[in-house]
Amino acid sequence: MEMRRKDLAVTAPAEMDAIIRGCDCIRLAFADGTHPYIVPLSFGYVREGEEAKFYFHSAAAGRKVDLCRRLAYAGFELDRNHTLKPNEKACDFSFAYESVVGEGTIAELTTPAEKSAGLQVIMAQYTGRPDWTFPEGVLARTCVFCLTVTEMQGRRHG
């Protein structure tokens, strides 16, 4: 991934992690033949050393599940801190934001232990609590996926 405006780049992993942790939605983008498909999702995020992972869940059927299983690869985008910066001239308006974009491989988690661990990461993203329990029936009918990041870059426009 090449960024044109290097002066806006966020390159430190800790800074990208902070942007991600401050977001409440991830958007996944799939290239399904000639038809793009983008879907907003709740998510969980972890960084283990150099490896960054996003977790998300779904019902057991649907286009998103089909694309995750069939393509096993997606782009992603997260953004926050949006502020319109007005000006006297229309062409001088601007918009402040922070964002992270990237892509990665997707794997479906299949065992109850894997699914529970992924759902824990998602719940911790929103609640700060890592100690949830999930009934066996819920785990059986819920798909949980892990996107392992292969490329990622941040951007901050102030």
Side-chain angles (χ1 to χ4, degrees), residues 78-129:
L78 307 98
D79 55 79
R80 70 175 190 166
N81 293 339
H82 312 106
T83 305
L84 180 64
K85 299 173 82 176
N87 201 294
E88 292 301 313
K89 293 186 200 171
C91 293
D92 289 336
F93 268 65
S94 185
F95 200 73
Y97 63 89
E98 295 176 310
S99 66
V100 174
V101 298
E103 52 192 72
T105 58
I106 298 174
E108 184 172 1
L109 308 181
T110 56
T111 69
E114 290 173 328
K115 289 181 177 186
S116 182
L119 292 171
Q120 289 290 358
V121 175
I122 295 167
M123 292 303 296
Q125 177 78 21
Y126 296 98
T127 68
R129 278 184 49 201

Side-chain angles (χ1 to χ4, degrees), residues 28 52-56 74 76 103-107 145-149:
L28 293 187
K53 295 180 178 185
F54 291 95
Y55 292 87
F56 55 96
F76 63 87
E103 52 192 72
T105 58
I106 298 174
F145 296 93
C146 176
L147 182 149
T148 301
V149 174

Side-chain angles (χ1 to χ4, degrees), residues 21-39:
R21 294 196 193 292
C23 292
D24 60 5
C25 174
I26 187 171
R27 291 164 192 85
L28 293 187
F30 297 93
D32 188 18
T34 60
H35 302 287
Y37 180 67
I38 299 173
V39 60

